[in-house]
Amino acid sequence: MAAAPPPSPLQMDDLIEEVLFRVPPEDPLTLVRAALINKRWRRVIHDPGFRHRFRTFHRAAPMLGVLCNSNYVTYKAQFIPICSFRPPHAIMSDTNVVDARHGRVLLHTLSWGSGQRKPFAVWDPVKDEIREYLPETPRLPELPFSRYHRNDSASAAVLCCTANNNGGCDDHLHCCHDDGPFLVVFIGTFSKGMFVYTYSSRDGAWSQHVSSQQLDARFPDTVVPNLLLENSLHFIVFNDNHGAKILKYDLATRDTSMIPTPPPPTTDSRGPRSIMLMTTGEGKLGFGSTEEYWVYLWSRPQQATLEEADVGWELIRVIELPTVLPASLVGFANNGVNRTLFVRTTNGVYALDLKSLRTRTISKNNGFFCVFPYMCFYPF
């Protein structure tokens, strides 16, 4: 019986590609080492089509690291890697992270009430590119709303331009790598009402969406992570009489609505709760809160609307943290496969996997008050 003919060069490349697809994306150094095996492997890995197919095969962008804000008086953000990826600028003085999503990081340099009209920069840690407003390279124009006062409050978010277009870039696996357009949403309150401005990198300008709607609530004085769910951004806001609420901003309709937060899980609460917006395993709006060393996870059975503002919450899980120290929630990550809560104690910041309940030390620095996951495929 004649032996089977050897595979052709194209067939061999396909076989090598199938092997490389099985390399976990969590540690990009593995593929870098594979590219050093020989010229054929290097050619396959560096082919742009392979990178696109590799991301499509894995479907969920890995978490390459976390961005942490330290004490808000000093304004110093830090990138803490959790794999072999190391950005050139790991520590950014006089800067805080406002948001991180779809491979991009939104930075600002001063508090909202400082009077600065151009506080934003958009950073791509993988490419080490920063788009900011500079006289010689205007990228993000100064904000059109300049009447900042000490009693104003605001928050902001960065996202892919197609996030409000039915997920038009394949679950955001490729938009950052392909230099796709992005949005910055700036939303807040002032003495006479509410404002929402959106910057589009495609248009290179800010546009005003809402300017007169009253909002009986304030954004926190420090940065608190927001949540993008389906077509809407969700923000934590506070009301002097009713405590925390959730502000929902629909990116498509530009409507805003308020959603109540779950009640305290116990009647003998000893102090203010630590709270965090999150998603459930089924992709619904979720909410986490802590009391001492217990974490309470809530699910909202259906999305609240203006007509259904009183739809209740369901307590779905109670987790006892593996610590004897009181804990607070400082961040949440969901890449479609793994859901992680970031918890801070006086011993530092830890990542809690909600499926396995395993913890991982992120930093021994207990001065981080806010943590953003950075999820992106390394381009090799």
Side-chain angles (χ1 to χ4, degrees):
M1 184 175 180
S8 67
L10 290 178
Q11 290 175 325
M12 181 60 71
D13 287 353
D14 291 339
L15 291 174
I16 294 173
E17 191 172 85
E18 286 298 322
V19 172
L20 294 172
F21 281 165
R22 272 68 184 176
V23 173
E26 287 78 11
D27 197 343
L29 187 60
T30 305
L31 278 175
V32 174
R33 290 169 176 164
L36 300 176
I37 292 177
N38 55 48
K39 292 182 178 179
R40 167 168 277 166
W41 284 53
R42 184 161 57 251
R43 185 184 69 249
V44 170
I45 291 175
H46 285 284
D47 179 79
F50 169 79
R51 304 172 194 177
H52 193 281
R53 292 187 293 272
F54 182 85
R55 295 192 293 264
T56 302
F57 178 85
H58 286 281
R59 302 300 305 170
M63 185 162 56
L64 301 181
V66 296
L67 298 124
C68 302
N69 287 336
S70 61
N71 187 297
Y72 62 90
V73 175
T74 60
Y75 286 97
K76 182 182 291 185
Q78 182 173 349
F79 186 101
I80 300 178
I82 60 174
C83 66
S84 58
F85 169 68
R86 300 290 188 276
H89 299 90
I91 299 178
M92 296 155 282
S93 299
D94 301 322
T95 300
N96 265 343
V97 177
V98 182
D99 195 21
R101 186 177 291 111
H102 302 156
R104 301 176 179 90
V105 180
L106 182 63
L107 307 171
H108 77 84
T109 55
L110 293 173
S111 62
W112 305 123
S114 66
Q116 182 171 346
R117 298 181 62 190
K118 46 182 184 294
F120 293 117
V122 176
W123 178 39
D124 181 342
V126 169
K127 299 178 183 178
D128 195 33
E129 295 176 349
I130 293 183
R131 298 191 180 191
E132 58 185 341
Y133 181 86
L134 296 173
E136 63 274 17
T137 56
R139 296 298 179 91
L140 258 68
E142 61 185 37
L143 286 163
F145 184 84
S146 60
R147 296 174 53 195
Y148 294 120
H149 302 285
R150 290 295 176 182
N151 61 346
D152 293 344
S153 68
S155 188
V158 63
L159 58 155
C160 170
C161 255
T162 57
N164 62 339
N165 189 25
N166 299 321
C169 60
D170 198 14
D171 296 329
H172 309 290
L173 295 176
H174 314 291
C175 54
C176 182
H177 300 280
D178 298 338
D179 293 324
F182 64 88
L183 296 176
V184 175
V185 178
F186 182 51
I187 181 170
T189 63
F190 65 112
S191 57
K192 296 183 179 180
M194 173 182 170
F195 57 85
V196 179
Y197 288 91
T198 300
Y199 172 82
S200 169
S201 66
R202 179 182 291 153
D203 302 327
W206 292 92
S207 60
Q208 180 180 355
H209 297 325
V210 181
S211 61
S212 60
Q213 182 174 344
Q214 293 291 330
L215 181 66
D216 187 21
R218 287 180 53 82
F219 290 89
D221 293 332
T222 58
V223 179
V224 174
N226 62 70
L227 178 71
L228 175 64
L229 182 60
E230 295 178 344
N231 243 19
S232 300
L233 286 166
H234 298 74
F235 301 87
I236 291 288
V237 293
F238 291 92
N239 179 284
D240 293 337
N241 298 322
H242 302 96
K245 289 183 177 293
I246 300 171
L247 171 65
K248 177 182 176 181
Y249 175 67
D250 192 300
L251 292 163
T253 66
R254 302 173 183 174
D255 292 330
T256 58
S257 57
M258 299 293 288
I259 303 174
T261 56
T266 61
T267 57
D268 58 346
S269 177
R270 300 181 182 180
R273 292 185 297 166
S274 165
I275 59 178
M276 184 61 54
L277 291 172
M278 55 187 298
T279 54
T280 67
E282 296 77 27
K284 300 178 182 178
L285 178 62
F287 188 87
S289 64
T290 62
E291 294 208 6
E292 295 188 329
Y293 43 83
W294 294 89
V295 176
Y296 298 84
L297 302 182
W298 305 78
S299 172
R300 196 158 178 82
Q302 65 186 78
Q303 293 293 330
T305 65
L306 294 176
E307 294 77 20
E308 299 171 322
D310 295 328
V311 174
W313 292 85
E314 177 186 358
L315 181 62
I316 57 175
R317 196 174 182 186
V318 180
I319 301 172
E320 183 178 8
L321 295 172
T323 175
V324 296
L325 301 172
S328 59
L329 302 180
V330 290
F332 172 73
N334 181 11
N335 68 352
V337 177
N338 300 312
R339 297 165 59 243
T340 303
L341 274 174
F342 297 98
V343 182
R344 184 188 65 182
T345 72
T346 55
N347 283 341
V349 177
Y350 303 87
L352 172 66
D353 187 290
L354 292 178
K355 183 177 182 179
S356 66
L357 295 185
R358 295 178 179 175
T359 59
R360 175 178 183 175
T361 301
I362 297 297
S363 173
K364 292 296 185 181
N365 185 343
N366 62 8
F368 293 134
F369 66 90
C370 190
V371 174
F372 292 92
Y374 180 69
M375 293 181 287
C376 186
F377 284 98
Y378 191 77
F380 320 129

